[in-house]
Amino acid sequence: MKKIGFIGLGTMGLPMANNLLKAGYELIVYNRSMDRVKLLEGELVTAADTPAEAAARSEVVFTMLSADKAVEEVVLGRGGVAEGAAPGLILADSTTIKPATSKKLAQVLADKGIEFLDAPVTGSEPHAVKGVLTFMVGGNKEIFDKCFPLFEVMGQKAVYMGDNGTGSTAKLANNLIAVVNMLALAEGVTMAAKAGINPETFMKVIQGGGAGSGMAEYKLPKIYNRDFTPTFKSDLMYKDLSLISAFAAENEVPVPALSMTKEFFRILLNKGLGHEDVCAIVKLYEEWAGVEVKK
Amino acid sequence: MKKIGFIGLGTMGLPMANNLLKAGYELIVYNRSMDRVKLLEGELVTAADTPAEAAARSEVVFTMLSADKAVEEVVLGRGGVAEGAAPGLILADSTTIKPATSKKLAQVLADKGIEFLDAPVTGSEPHAVKGVLTFMVGGNKEIFDKCFPLFEVMGQKAVYMGDNGTGSTAKLANNLIAVVNMLALAEGVTMAAKAGINPETFMKVIQGGGAGSGMAEYKLPKIYNRDFTPTFKSDLMYKDLSLISAFAAENEVPVPALSMTKEFFRILLNKGLGHEDVCAIVKLYEEWAGVEVKK
């Protein structure tokens, strides 16, 4: 497979597409605002006027969009992927969406002979740039194997999870854990700071031990350096929290820690801080405790 | 410094003392039940009849006990460390206790010319055996530097936190983060399992990413292998949770995630599971969600 369609050149999609180009794939891209296409490097890239055209000219199409609605429109809407696709096309969707939407898309597309993979990723923009994302993939195992070289170009890991929907489910469970770990970090470091502990020194204690986490590694230095520029925006996290909450309710799984965290992010958004990184959640604790977590 | 007193040969104290012996230090040990002394290896170990005697014969004394009350008795009680200590003795307490108790002991002992370090550790029994604990230490910086070679024998890291009490404070904040990360893991993996995700496959997704954590690394395999034998017992964790809760209240820091986690451990203890590892908290979620998290 050499001709790859790529739809959605946002914060994540753009570096992902660039990594495919660098690896020598021919890219047919579509983005709502086409000036993003100029940001792609190399000569193997051409623009398509519609998602349908991108699909017609490709063997595999990746979508990396904002949410369920955008994916449904781009795939099933007028001028969408399904309209232009020849039977046998593979569509891999890396958007974080409801597992139910992934399952529905897979069913509808199967009727048209299109293979669907839900293939969301963990990692934020820097990981996308370096090509070290983790893909978690639901769908047909043979199709997964076929696409594995593509995942390897954009990621350091691609894990086959099971049937369609399990990729999206794994992503939601992953984000549940990540965001509650973020809350734990914010709560713990605020308590320590209030009692006079330097957070940079505290970082040395927790690193690599039972209290260590990806969130501590990525976010604690941002907190004590007072750098709230987003690698993962709080309002996008709130979107994910809402998806997780709805999914848990549908599956009759109580998620008390996630629910509390969701409400705290609602408070953060209402304070006008939705554009800041998820680590800005520490600002709530700082206000509540009357202390600033800094070096 | 060659003569080291060691008081408290429990799950953690015994391997810590053994590592000092292996490194060539002369050990004078005291334990409430003296048959634990036989478990120490080597010829450089002798027993003392009281903590006072251990103190009289040593240059540095370590205490590794169960809780505040035990430390206060062993240090300030009849036949205690303070009774036998010559001026200039260093007492390093590795028990997880209230920062206020650490500060009080430091003050009382300073009047007698005894130097006090609060030097609790992170890591559980396997880390103690391998000598890879992390010490977080509060007290006089010069005394910390003097004891550094001893910490290095028992640990992989020793971090100087600040004045007396900051070591104990860092430990409580560390455990706050660790236990909430444990809850996040239990909640996320239960949601994933209910939706048909294999937890061992899920482990591959979260490892090393934003949802990764020390707790995930140590505890998720125990969960899906249904191994709830303790490396850190739930009832001891509940003791720590109570200390953290009280400390946060004294310092007027709201700790909502910790408080919820504490109540869930209360439920676990009331189910008669206090003797199991902290990862048994997943059993509550399993019951609530109607699913078992296994391979």
Side-chain angles (χ1 to χ4, degrees):
Chain A
M1 298 186 298
K2 287 192 168 176
K3 294 174 183 227
I4 314 297
F6 207 104
I7 299 174
L9 299 172
T11 309
M12 296 292 284
L14 186 75
M16 290 167 74
N18 255 330
N19 283 331
L20 287 169
L21 280 169
K22 279 182 213 159
Y25 289 99
E26 189 183 333
L27 238 61
I28 303 98
V29 300
Y30 174 82
N31 195 59
R32 208 167 34 180
S33 76
M34 291 306 285
D35 51 347
R36 294 282 292 176
V37 177
K38 294 173 204 152
L39 300 172
L40 287 167
E41 297 148 20
E43 291 166 15
L44 289 168
V45 58
T46 55
D49 287 334
T50 60
E53 188 198 328
R57 293 168 53 196
S58 307
E59 295 156 278
V60 181
V61 172
F62 277 88
T63 43
M64 187 55 164
L65 300 160
S66 58
D68 293 64
K69 204 182 151 201
V71 177
E72 293 198 67
E73 278 175 15
V74 157
V75 176
L76 304 178
R78 183 180 290 190
V81 170
E83 217 177 88
L89 178 82
I90 299 169
L91 174 62
D93 175 39
S94 289
T95 318
T96 299
I97 59 173
K98 286 182 200 167
T101 305
S102 300
K103 282 186 205 173
K104 178 184 133 186
L105 287 169
Q107 276 177 350
V108 173
L109 294 173
D111 292 342
K112 300 173 189 283
I114 302 169
E115 298 283 353
F116 180 78
L117 298 176
D118 40 306
V121 296
T122 63
S124 49
E125 190 186 4
H127 303 88
V129 172
K130 285 183 213 154
V132 294
L133 298 166
T134 294
F135 286 85
M136 51 213 91
V137 186
N140 183 312
K141 176 75 162 68
E142 280 173 36
I143 301 298
F144 167 79
D145 290 337
K146 226 170 154 180
C147 293
F148 194 80
L150 300 170
F151 296 135
E152 271 204 311
V153 163
M154 296 181 279
Q156 62 183 344
K157 263 196 286 190
V159 184
Y160 179 71
M161 303 306 299
D163 293 339
N164 276 121
T166 54
S168 293
T169 298
K171 168 72 190 206
L172 296 186
N174 179 86
N175 280 19
L176 183 161
I177 295 170
V179 74
V180 178
N181 287 356
M182 179 66 239
L183 196 76
L185 177 71
E187 191 164 307
V189 75
T190 303
M191 187 181 82
K194 183 82 186 274
I197 304 267
N198 181 323
E200 196 175 15
T201 312
F202 186 61
M203 179 82 189
K204 291 182 201 158
V205 169
I206 63 174
Q207 228 164 9
S213 68
M215 284 294 119
E217 188 187 334
Y218 306 142
K219 303 304 185 188
L220 186 46
K222 278 177 78 72
I223 290 172
Y224 60 66
N225 292 319
R226 312 308 291 170
D227 167 21
F228 298 103
T229 55
T231 60
F232 192 165
K233 279 186 192 173
S234 294
D235 48 18
L236 287 178
M237 178 56 92
Y238 187 76
K239 181 209 95 176
D240 285 6
L241 291 169
S242 305
L243 289 184
I244 300 166
S245 184
F247 177 76
E250 279 161 28
N251 284 273
E252 301 177 350
V253 178
V255 285
L258 183 281
S259 298
M260 188 172 72
T261 307
K262 176 168 166 278
E263 299 312 319
F264 289 171
F265 272 89
R266 180 71 266 164
I267 297 171
L268 191 71
L269 266 53
N270 286 0
K271 284 182 179 289
L273 299 175
H275 62 287
E276 292 197 344
D277 190 73
V278 291
C279 69
I281 197 73
V282 77
K283 291 185 179 182
L284 294 187
Y285 279 94
E286 291 177 329
E287 187 192 325
W288 295 339
V291 67
E292 196 174 37
V293 181
K294 59 184 175 186
K295 280 194 282 190
Chain B
M1 297 185 296
K2 286 191 168 177
K3 295 177 181 224
I4 315 296
F6 206 106
I7 299 174
L9 299 172
T11 310
M12 296 291 285
L14 186 74
M16 290 167 74
N18 255 330
N19 283 331
L20 287 169
L21 280 168
K22 279 183 213 157
Y25 290 98
E26 189 183 332
L27 239 59
I28 303 99
V29 301
Y30 175 82
N31 195 59
R32 209 166 34 179
S33 77
M34 291 306 286
D35 51 347
R36 294 281 291 177
V37 178
K38 293 174 206 150
L39 300 172
L40 287 167
E41 297 148 19
E43 292 166 15
L44 289 169
V45 58
T46 54
D49 288 333
T50 59
E53 188 197 329
R57 291 170 51 197
S58 307
E59 294 155 279
V60 181
V61 173
F62 277 87
T63 44
M64 186 55 163
L65 300 160
S66 58
D68 293 64
K69 204 183 151 201
V71 178
E72 293 198 65
E73 278 174 16
V74 158
V75 177
L76 303 178
R78 184 180 290 191
V81 170
E83 216 176 270
L89 178 82
I90 300 169
L91 174 61
D93 175 40
S94 289
T95 317
T96 298
I97 59 172
K98 287 182 201 166
T101 305
S102 300
K103 282 186 205 173
K104 178 184 133 185
L105 287 170
Q107 275 177 349
V108 173
L109 293 173
D111 293 341
K112 299 174 190 283
I114 302 169
E115 298 283 352
F116 181 78
L117 298 175
D118 41 306
V121 296
T122 62
S124 49
E125 190 186 4
H127 303 88
V129 172
K130 285 182 213 154
V132 293
L133 298 167
T134 294
F135 287 85
M136 52 214 91
V137 186
N140 183 312
K141 176 73 164 65
E142 279 173 38
I143 301 297
F144 167 79
D145 290 336
K146 225 169 155 181
C147 291
F148 194 80
L150 300 170
F151 296 134
E152 271 205 309
V153 164
M154 297 180 279
Q156 62 183 345
K157 262 196 288 190
V159 184
Y160 179 70
M161 303 305 299
D163 293 339
N164 277 121
T166 55
S168 293
T169 299
K171 168 73 189 203
L172 296 187
N174 179 87
N175 280 20
L176 183 162
I177 295 171
V179 75
V180 178
N181 286 357
M182 180 64 239
L183 196 77
L185 177 71
E187 191 164 306
V189 76
T190 303
M191 187 181 82
K194 183 81 186 277
I197 305 266
N198 181 323
E200 197 175 13
T201 311
F202 185 61
M203 179 81 188
K204 291 181 202 159
V205 168
I206 63 174
Q207 229 164 7
S213 67
M215 284 294 119
E217 187 187 335
Y218 306 142
K219 304 304 185 188
L220 186 47
K222 278 177 77 74
I223 289 172
Y224 60 66
N225 291 319
R226 312 308 292 169
D227 167 20
F228 297 103
T229 55
T231 61
F232 192 165
K233 280 186 192 174
S234 294
D235 47 18
L236 287 179
M237 178 56 93
Y238 187 75
K239 182 209 94 175
D240 285 6
L241 291 169
S242 304
L243 288 185
I244 300 166
S245 183
F247 177 76
E250 280 160 29
N251 284 273
E252 302 178 349
V253 178
V255 284
L258 183 281
S259 298
M260 189 172 71
T261 307
K262 176 169 168 275
E263 298 312 318
F264 288 171
F265 271 89
R266 179 73 266 163
I267 297 171
L268 192 71
L269 266 52
N270 286 0
K271 284 182 179 290
L273 299 175
H275 62 288
E276 292 196 345
D277 189 74
V278 290
C279 69
I281 197 72
V282 77
K283 292 185 177 181
L284 293 187
Y285 279 94
E286 292 177 328
E287 187 193 326
W288 296 339
V291 68
E292 196 174 37
V293 181
K294 59 183 174 188
K295 279 195 283 190

